[in-house]
Amino acid sequence: MTMSTAIEQVVHEAEKQLTDGTWDLVANDSALVRETATALAGAIGPADIHQALPRIERLAALREAIAALAMTIARTHGHLAWFLAQCASHLTPVLHWRALDAPKKSSHLDG
């Protein structure tokens, strides 16, 4: 399952909880969601600009997005914390990608 598919499933579950009344988004949650959305937009930026960036810069932006989610999770509880934690957990492979060594380039001098 791709990250995008996993996040879509979490969003679908959250929408279901909001629709059936299991999750009642209170005013404090709404304000925190707006703050988080602003932070995420600042970290990632517009899609066309983000996609034009080199991979390492896109990776750095995704890491900033995870940090924004973590900061929000630390400030809330309940359904909102569950939702954001699920999103962040599906993005955690991003944290490992940069930790991996770059593949070695082969050259005719190797050997």
Side-chain angles (χ1 to χ4, degrees):
M1 175 184 324
T2 66
M3 272 189 245
S4 148
T5 302
I7 299 292
E8 285 175 13
Q9 288 179 346
V10 173
V11 168
H12 176 72
E13 177 60 26
E15 288 172 338
K16 181 179 172 227
Q17 290 180 17
L18 288 165
T19 301
D20 69 17
T22 306
W23 178 3
D24 182 25
L25 196 60
V26 296
N28 289 346
D29 285 347
S30 295
L32 195 52
V33 166
R34 283 191 295 278
E35 287 177 35
T36 304
T38 299
L40 291 173
I44 301 297
D48 58 334
I49 293 172
H50 183 75
Q51 291 173 354
L53 294 173
R55 281 188 185 178
I56 194 72
E57 290 180 35
R58 291 185 1 225
L59 178 59
L62 287 172
R63 292 167 62 95
E64 285 182 42
I66 293 170
L69 290 173
M71 294 298 292
T72 303
I73 292 166
R75 295 173 52 197
T76 191
H77 62 281
H79 287 329
L80 181 57
W82 162 83
F83 172 71
L84 295 173
Q86 289 297 309
C87 291
S89 70
H90 290 301
L91 292 173
T92 55
V94 170
L95 299 174
H96 300 286
W97 293 339
R98 191 157 187 189
L100 299 175
D101 292 332
K104 293 183 179 188
K105 293 183 180 180
S106 63
S107 76
H108 66 285
L109 300 176
D110 290 342

